[in-house]
Amino acid sequence: MSRDFVGALLQLNAEKQISREQLIGAVEDGIQSAYRRVAGDEDIHVRIDAETGKIRVFRARRVVGEIEDEFTEMTVEQARAIDPTAGPGDLVETEQLDGDVFGRIGAQTAKQIVLQRIREVERDQVFDQFASREGELITGTVNRVEPRAIILDVGKNVEAILATTEQSALEHYRIGQNVKAFVLEVRRSTKGPQIFVSRTHKGFLKRLFELEVPEIHSGTVEIKAIAREAGSRSKVAVASRQDGLDPVGATVGQRGARVQAVVAELSGEKIDVIPWSDDASLFVANALSPAQVISVDIDEEHRIASVTVPERMLSLAIGREGQNARLAARLTGWRIDIRSDVSVAEAKAAAADAVTPSAGQADAPEARASESESDAAAVPAPKPKRVTKVAAAPVAVATEAAAPAVDAAGADAPEAQASESESAAVAAPKPKRVTKKAAPIGVASGAAAAEPDAADAAVVQATETPAPEAAVAKPKRVSKKMAVSSGEVAS
């Protein structure tokens, strides 16, 4: 039986990849637990010889200074009575037991405990294996697709969880597809280790470049910083540790072969590779590529970079929905303020115009007076109102009516007559437009002006009232029926 037991241990060692020491420890714990189910047998211990497979069962107690559990502990005096060399912390054997008393129920209990311990050892091994791979790439096969995650089979009956938030919007997965992923975290659980992976983390992009670019894998070219918006665009800053080696050229590869392999793995995500620089202004200018930069002003205190670009490059520097400027700010760690050269020139011109010369103004009052006069002269005169042809006839009638008034007043007051004529001309309101229907009224007014008595009355009225236009009534609109009746009355 001992040889069969040793053969079983070797078979488990080959299948489970568990060391012989761990297997023997699991069997010992299982048999001990089966013995200790009986009250009073808490001090039973089991030892197995790995070479012969012989099992030895005995009672032993731990040597302590003060006893807390009388079934498993003993004092130093009691231990030295059995073994004179025993000291605190030693395990002193008190009785040898016969292993044949181990019954069927005890064997079943030992079997279950041994299997459970073997599973625990397997889980610990898998956890240690994947815990050491945090931050690295693993390749798994899509096992099933769930609403909130995709489950990947990474081997050894271990599954990795690719959450929806860690998936790119451009990617679609199918059952059986091989997928590379970046290990974020490994957790312990009752069902085994839980592995959380991602394809949107910037570390995933870095590991892909290490796979495709030998210079990055060897450390000749170093990735200094990465700014990424998964599924859309990424910016990678690289620097060379070897003189004469172009980091951008080594990363991109001949005809872009290396970077195109990374882009294909990311389902067409755009990648900008820029050179790293210790100079903050130069690094910010490079980060805004492909836009051209005229100048960069650095504010060290507030960590603000004011960038001036050509007018035609403003939209390119900002990017769609500000993506290019946002990624550049993440890559450099600076807050970037982008302005065009035209807006900068206009701002400088406005600032120059706002500054007015004040020296010598108190010593030159005449100059200020002349300036005020020139400003007053520069005020434009009011625009005269437009006179239509319809308004010309009433003005002429008013002028003719004023002329007999001058003759009637006599030659003794020429100045007064002139002033009255001027005031009448100024105060004359704008006559309303006369339509064809109002023509009979115009005839009647003309006939009244031709009579001498009516003219004398108009002169007297104009002399008494300074506003002759107040006496003119608004003519009513005459329809065709009224025109006919007025004609009959006149005849």
Side-chain angles (χ1 to χ4, degrees):
M1 179 176 289
S2 299
R3 286 180 295 179
D4 295 338
F5 179 74
V6 173
L9 290 180
L10 295 176
Q11 185 177 358
L12 285 175
N13 186 13
E15 291 179 357
K16 303 294 185 180
Q17 298 295 324
I18 301 176
S19 64
R20 182 182 297 183
E21 291 75 11
Q22 289 178 329
L23 288 174
I24 291 176
V27 175
E28 289 177 350
D29 292 341
I31 297 175
Q32 286 180 177
S33 300
Y35 271 109
R36 291 176 181 178
R37 283 180 171 270
V38 181
D41 292 340
E42 291 85 355
D43 59 345
I44 294 179
H45 296 267
V46 177
R47 292 293 180 267
I48 299 176
D49 189 354
E51 299 298 331
T52 62
K54 183 179 180 181
I55 301 175
R56 190 169 66 92
V57 183
F58 59 93
R59 292 182 182 271
R61 295 189 179 186
R62 187 74 56 184
V63 179
V64 295
E66 183 179 356
I67 296 178
E68 296 180 357
D69 186 0
E70 60 182 4
F71 294 102
T72 60
E73 296 176 348
M74 65 171 54
T75 62
V76 178
E77 292 78 7
Q78 294 173 351
R80 287 181 178 177
I82 301 173
D83 185 3
T85 63
D90 293 340
L91 186 66
V92 178
E93 181 178 346
T94 60
E95 182 183 358
Q96 180 73 28
L97 299 178
D98 187 6
D100 295 338
V101 299
F102 200 70
R104 182 179 60 83
I105 297 177
Q108 291 292 334
T109 304
K111 176 183 176 181
Q112 294 176 358
I113 294 175
V114 168
L115 293 178
Q116 181 179 358
R117 287 296 307 272
I118 290 175
R119 285 193 294 266
E120 291 178 356
V121 171
E122 289 179 343
R123 292 171 186 171
D124 292 339
Q125 284 186 345
V126 173
F127 176 81
D128 295 338
Q129 178 183 356
F130 285 97
S132 61
R133 298 187 62 182
E134 285 189 5
E136 297 183 0
L137 287 184
I138 60 173
T139 303
T141 304
V142 178
N143 191 6
R144 62 184 184 272
V145 179
E146 297 181 355
R148 296 185 178 180
I150 292 177
I151 308 302
L152 304 177
D153 184 7
V154 295
K156 296 183 179 180
N157 297 325
V158 180
E159 294 179 341
I161 302 173
L162 179 61
T164 305
T165 56
E166 302 296 336
Q167 301 174 16
S168 174
L170 300 178
E171 298 174 346
H172 302 281
Y173 307 95
R174 64 183 184 275
I175 303 298
Q177 178 183 356
N178 292 329
V179 176
K180 291 186 179 67
F182 180 78
V183 180
L184 290 177
E185 184 181 2
V186 181
R187 300 178 185 174
R188 291 182 183 270
S189 66
T190 57
K191 296 182 180 180
Q194 288 185 343
I195 304 174
F196 296 90
V197 296
S198 172
R199 284 181 62 88
T200 61
H201 196 272
K202 60 183 180 180
F204 179 60
L205 181 60
K206 182 178 180 181
R207 296 303 179 187
L208 289 178
F209 272 109
E210 290 179 355
L211 290 177
E212 299 294 338
V213 183
E215 289 82 359
I216 296 179
H217 181 72
S218 62
T220 306
V221 176
E222 180 183 3
I223 296 179
K224 288 287 190 177
I226 296 177
R228 185 184 182 198
E229 290 186 0
S232 180
R233 193 173 184 178
S234 299
K235 287 182 178 291
V236 181
V238 294
S240 175
R241 295 180 177 178
Q242 180 179 347
D243 295 338
L245 177 62
D246 181 15
V248 177
T251 305
V252 173
Q254 186 177 7
R255 297 181 181 179
R258 293 176 176 177
V259 74
Q260 286 300 324
V262 178
V263 171
E265 178 65 29
L266 298 177
S267 301
E269 181 178 323
K270 297 179 181 178
I271 300 177
D272 295 339
V273 181
I274 64 172
W276 169 273
S277 177
D278 294 332
D279 187 1
S281 59
L282 182 58
F283 186 37
V284 170
N286 294 334
L288 289 173
S289 64
Q292 299 177 0
V293 176
I294 297 177
S295 63
V296 179
D297 295 332
I298 298 297
D299 185 358
E300 294 285 350
E301 181 179 359
H302 301 89
R303 292 193 64 82
I304 298 176
S306 300
V307 182
T308 304
V309 299
E311 180 71 20
R312 69 181 188 280
M313 291 287 180
L314 182 60
S315 59
L316 185 61
I318 296 175
R320 180 180 298 178
E321 298 180 356
Q323 185 185 58
N324 191 55
R326 184 168 58 253
L327 289 176
R330 293 179 186 175
L331 187 70
T332 60
W334 289 81
R335 180 181 175 184
I336 300 177
D337 182 14
I338 303 176
R339 295 179 296 174
S340 64
D341 54 352
V342 176
S343 62
V344 172
E346 291 177 354
K348 291 181 179 179
D353 294 340
V355 178
T356 55
S358 58
Q361 291 184 358
D363 299 333
E366 296 180 359
R368 291 199 301 270
S370 62
E371 289 178 359
S372 61
E373 291 176 0
S374 63
D375 294 339
V379 176
K383 184 178 181 181
K385 296 183 179 180
R386 183 177 180 182
V387 180
T388 59
K389 294 182 179 180
V390 178
V395 173
V397 173
T399 306
E400 293 175 358
V406 174
D407 296 337
D412 297 332
E415 298 178 358
Q417 295 173 2
S419 61
E420 290 177 359
S421 62
E422 291 175 0
S423 62
V426 172
K430 180 179 179 181
K432 296 185 178 181
R433 184 174 181 179
V434 180
T435 60
K436 293 181 179 181
K437 295 180 180 181
I441 297 178
V443 175
S445 61
E451 296 179 1
D453 298 336
D456 296 339
V459 171
V460 174
Q461 188 177 1
T463 307
E464 293 176 355
T465 59
E469 67 279 5
V472 180
K474 180 178 181 182
K476 296 182 179 180
R477 183 175 181 180
V478 180
S479 61
K480 292 183 179 181
K481 295 180 180 181
M482 295 178 64
V484 173
S485 61
S486 60
E488 292 176 357
V489 173
S491 60

